[in-house]
Amino acid sequence: MLYLLIALLAIAAVVYLIYKKVHAAASIFAVGVILLMLAALTGRADFRTTEIEATGNAFYDQLLVVDALFKARFSGIGMAIMVLFGFVSYMRHIGADAKTVVVLSSPLKRFKGSYWLVPVGFILGTLLSLVIPSAAALSLLLVATLLPALIAAGLTPLTVGAIVVTSSTIVPTPLEAGLIQAPISPT
């Protein structure tokens, strides 16, 4: 019953912080660290998810867990996604995304919002999914380039959003982590 009360208080704290206009990710992170410290205080700390050397100080060990999780998450796919976010931000900063939209949309305007652009956009997104295995990274790239071009060509934002979502999530690609790690069942 005590742990349920602690969980409800944590949820209430996050809601309050977000209501007070504190950044949502920072609110969740801060309350999560406080929960880790409470777990150390009550003796419910568990280190099975990370490989750390216990120091004997439960509070410091929890900080080591947070450190190990950050290193594990951001050195892999997280870092690749952040690099792609940085690339898109840089392209937007120097105006390359606007130039791409102008170059892509000028020949597409001849179709005057024709829905023949839907399968073309889907095929383009699907082909890009073969070389960009992360659905988030592919969606970000398509939103930065394909979405404004197709909207400028006359398609509705909802239609273009559907193209982005379906082409980045429906077709399994050879590099997708879930397929690489999938166990092979004997048949």
Side-chain angles (χ1 to χ4, degrees):
M1 188 67 168
L2 175 67
Y3 299 118
L4 180 62
L5 180 64
I6 291 172
L8 290 174
L9 286 173
I11 293 169
V14 169
V15 169
Y16 176 76
L17 289 171
I18 292 173
Y19 175 74
K20 287 295 188 180
K21 306 269 190 259
V22 176
H23 192 267
S27 302
I28 293 169
F29 178 74
V31 171
V33 169
I34 291 170
L35 284 175
L36 279 173
M37 295 303 159
L38 283 174
L41 183 67
T42 60
R44 308 278 293 178
D46 187 13
F47 303 118
R48 287 182 292 188
T49 58
T50 58
E51 302 268 339
I52 64 164
E53 282 189 41
T55 62
N57 183 342
F59 293 112
Y60 185 66
D61 288 345
Q62 292 300 328
L63 292 176
L64 290 177
V65 167
V66 172
D67 179 55
L69 288 174
F70 268 115
K71 287 178 182 174
R73 298 287 193 277
F74 290 132
S75 64
I77 190 68
M79 183 58 78
I81 290 173
M82 285 192 298
V83 166
L84 281 169
F85 272 95
F87 173 74
V88 170
S89 296
Y90 178 70
M91 291 295 118
R92 181 161 288 152
H93 177 71
I94 65 172
D97 64 333
K99 188 68 171 172
T100 303
V101 169
V102 169
V103 169
L104 283 176
S105 64
S106 57
L108 295 177
K109 285 182 182 178
R110 294 184 204 145
F111 292 102
K112 296 184 179 81
S114 170
Y115 281 92
W116 285 102
L117 294 174
V118 173
V120 171
F122 177 77
I123 290 169
L124 180 65
T126 303
L127 289 174
L128 283 172
S129 74
L130 294 174
V131 293
I132 302 174
S134 167
L138 178 60
S139 296
L140 181 67
L141 183 66
L142 292 176
V143 163
T145 56
L146 190 65
L147 183 122
L150 289 178
I151 289 175
L155 292 179
T156 65
L158 186 61
T159 303
V160 181
I163 294 170
V164 169
V165 169
T166 55
S167 63
S168 62
T169 57
I170 287 181
V171 179
T173 64
L175 299 175
E176 186 178 3
L179 291 176
I180 293 171
Q181 296 173 355
I184 300 173
S185 62
T187 53

